[in-house]
Amino acid sequence: MKRGPRCIAIAVAAAVGAVVTFLVLSESGAFNTEVWEREDPLVNPSTVASVREGTITLVDRRAFRPAGVGRRDEVSSDDYDRALRVIVAQGVVVIRDLGDGRAFLVAEPRFYNWCGTRAYNANPWARWAGSYLRCPVSELLIQLAYAKPVLDQPGLSSRERWRLEGVGQIGGVADSPTPISQTLAAFRYNGSERYLGDYDTMLETVWKPPPSP
């Protein structure tokens, strides 16, 4: 049975309409998928109950201040606490308790992608939204320009002092505190945070070897 000109015109119009609709929806982001990378999650982290005046209180009632650092003068107490809340939102692992309310901690904060790049893993509608990155808390506070190293604090080992001092020696330290997205509970990703997961290797490579034990 032959199709008449009218049927062909209707079929062509329907096909064109479908293509136009698809393109409009694609450009509007209707097919977008936000992908958050999480390659190295914390193992058995302690949940944080609250952050107040620079002190992190865990649900088991232990309370710690990040060791070896102090809030920068230009950073308000509220902004410092806000940064800490983002850092510890996924919990913390206590690496070393100094016994006086200070501790070295590891956390897994989120860092958001501020650009609109898509085609994540060859998927044209997948967008890298950001990453969860495992980081030492004290060093990260320096890296993000919320804190400064305080190397004369009692109880610090020579290697811990080396690490804290080294943050400012490897580049990438922000001139002003790294912005926070309150909606995403994440820091703006600047590209220099990834090496904090293997911080010792980076310092030895671009700065100097650690002190002898």
Side-chain angles (χ1 to χ4, degrees), residues 15-33:
V16 170
V19 170
V20 169
T21 300
F22 175 82
L23 292 174
V24 169
L25 290 174
S26 177
E27 288 301 314
S28 71
F31 303 127
N32 285 359
T33 301

Side-chain angles (χ1 to χ4, degrees), residues 36 82 86 110 112 179-187:
W36 285 89
R82 190 173 296 113
V86 173
R110 299 209 308 178
Y112 69 89
I180 295 172
S181 167
Q182 295 300 322
T183 302
L184 298 173
F187 295 102

Side-chain angles (χ1 to χ4, degrees), residues 96 151 155-165 210-213:
R96 189 164 87 88
L151 303 181
L156 304 184
S157 70
S158 57
R159 190 180 186 94
E160 288 162 350
R161 289 191 178 93
W162 170 78
R163 285 170 59 90
L164 294 168
E165 183 183 0
S212 300

Side-chain angles (χ1 to χ4, degrees), residues 132-159:
Y132 295 79
L133 299 177
R134 183 188 290 206
C135 303
V137 173
S138 296
E139 287 87 341
L140 182 62
L141 284 166
I142 300 171
Q143 184 78 20
L144 300 180
Y146 284 91
K148 57 188 177 183
V150 183
L151 303 181
D152 60 354
Q153 281 188 4
L156 304 184
S157 70
S158 57
R159 190 180 186 94

Side-chain angles (χ1 to χ4, degrees), residues 77-134:
S77 179
D78 286 345
D79 285 345
Y80 188 73
D81 283 355
R82 190 173 296 113
L84 276 177
R85 290 187 187 102
V86 173
I87 290 173
V88 304
Q90 280 64 244
V92 296
V93 173
V94 179
I95 300 301
R96 189 164 87 88
D97 181 352
L98 275 66
D100 61 357
R102 293 175 298 131
F104 285 99
L105 311 161
V106 171
E108 194 190 359
R110 299 209 308 178
F111 293 84
Y112 69 89
N113 173 21
W114 51 270
C115 73
T117 306
R118 292 196 296 181
Y120 177 84
N121 282 350
N123 181 340
W125 294 290
R127 174 182 176 274
W128 174 59
S131 292
Y132 295 79
L133 299 177
R134 183 188 290 206

